[in-house]
Amino acid sequence: MNIKNVVLSVFCLLMTSVSVFAQLNVLNAKTPEEIGVKTEDQLAYDNDSPLPYGFIDDRDILWSKSTWEIIDLDERVNFPLYYPIDTNNIGLERRSLYDVLIKNIKNQTIENLYADSYFTEKRTLNDIEASLVYSDTTDLGISQFNAGEAIDPQYIRKFTLDAADIEEWRIRGTWYLDKRSGDLKYRLLGLAPVANEARSKAFPDAASDTKVELFWIWFPSAREVLHKAKAFNRKNTSRPISYDHLLNSRRFNAVIYKEDNDLGDRQINDYINDNALMQLMESDRIKESIRNIEIDMWNY
């Protein structure tokens, strides 16, 4: 019994030391500003970088299918992608996926923005600014303008989309059979935040419930950024999950709304109208057919 207690104590001590390291200096910080900041020795020890993708030769792909999916942020399992939405009273190390991407788009760390999920038309921050920020001049400001005066800044209202306005994420990826490993694998290619445009915040009564894809990001080029940003782990706060890991390992719930097909990649709601249940069942049918590809490959 004493031996068991000793082993348990040693195990707890090891786990505690690992947890302390995982919390990024929170117990060793002399000032609050040092929390979350790694020392040079820690950075050298970590050699922290996302796990690189292996090279896939086109000849090794026996079968593939592209799918487009919706990640609904109202679902509890998807909350790590949504929260925190209020960053005033929370640490700098915790940000929502949208805040992480917008910050790095503004500082030009992420440059591969596109207008659609086929990545044919590139966009810049200036191109998408109209969807993210809306400026409106009040009546007093208009009066100043008509009188030939400079408009006082207090008469210009600005409405900016933030993390709380994002309703869902849309992702595009490819399922494929790797001939060398004999496995069904998934490669995430792009993701897009979906929300009503910033103008709807200025006129909430007149705003329609028409959600738009604000922009598409080529996911492989953003992996370095998403690896450094951490999502909250509700099961163990000393083990945060990087957004890169969370998305690559598909630790979320998503519904397929489109697949590549011979009818111009039409969406499910194009051929199943006004019936949410049947649309969901069709999405499950597509998902099941993809899973069966791997099972059928091993049946003789």
Side-chain angles (χ1 to χ4, degrees), residues 45-65:
Y45 180 80
D46 286 349
N47 190 20
D48 209 10
S49 60
L51 185 66
Y53 290 144
F55 175 75
I56 303 295
D57 195 303
D58 290 340
R59 292 173 295 183
D60 292 333
I61 300 177
L62 294 176
W63 170 93
S64 68
K65 176 177 283 293

Side-chain angles (χ1 to χ4, degrees), residues 63 175 184 284 286-296:
W63 170 93
W175 293 92
L184 178 67
D284 288 339
I286 296 172
K287 188 180 298 184
E288 192 65 24
S289 67
I290 293 173
R291 290 173 179 167
N292 289 338
I293 289 293
E294 184 179 30
I295 298 174
D296 294 341

Side-chain angles (χ1 to χ4, degrees), residues 30-50:
K30 296 179 180 178
T31 62
E33 288 75 14
E34 294 181 5
I35 297 177
V37 179
K38 293 184 178 181
T39 65
E40 293 183 1
D41 293 336
Q42 287 174 327
L43 291 172
Y45 180 80
D46 286 349
N47 190 20
D48 209 10
S49 60

Side-chain angles (χ1 to χ4, degrees), residues 137-147 149-152 154-156:
T137 305
T138 64
D139 293 339
L140 291 175
I142 294 174
S143 299
Q144 286 184 327
F145 178 79
N146 292 334
E149 302 174 3
I151 301 177
D152 194 317
Q154 66 176 325
Y155 299 138
I156 299 177

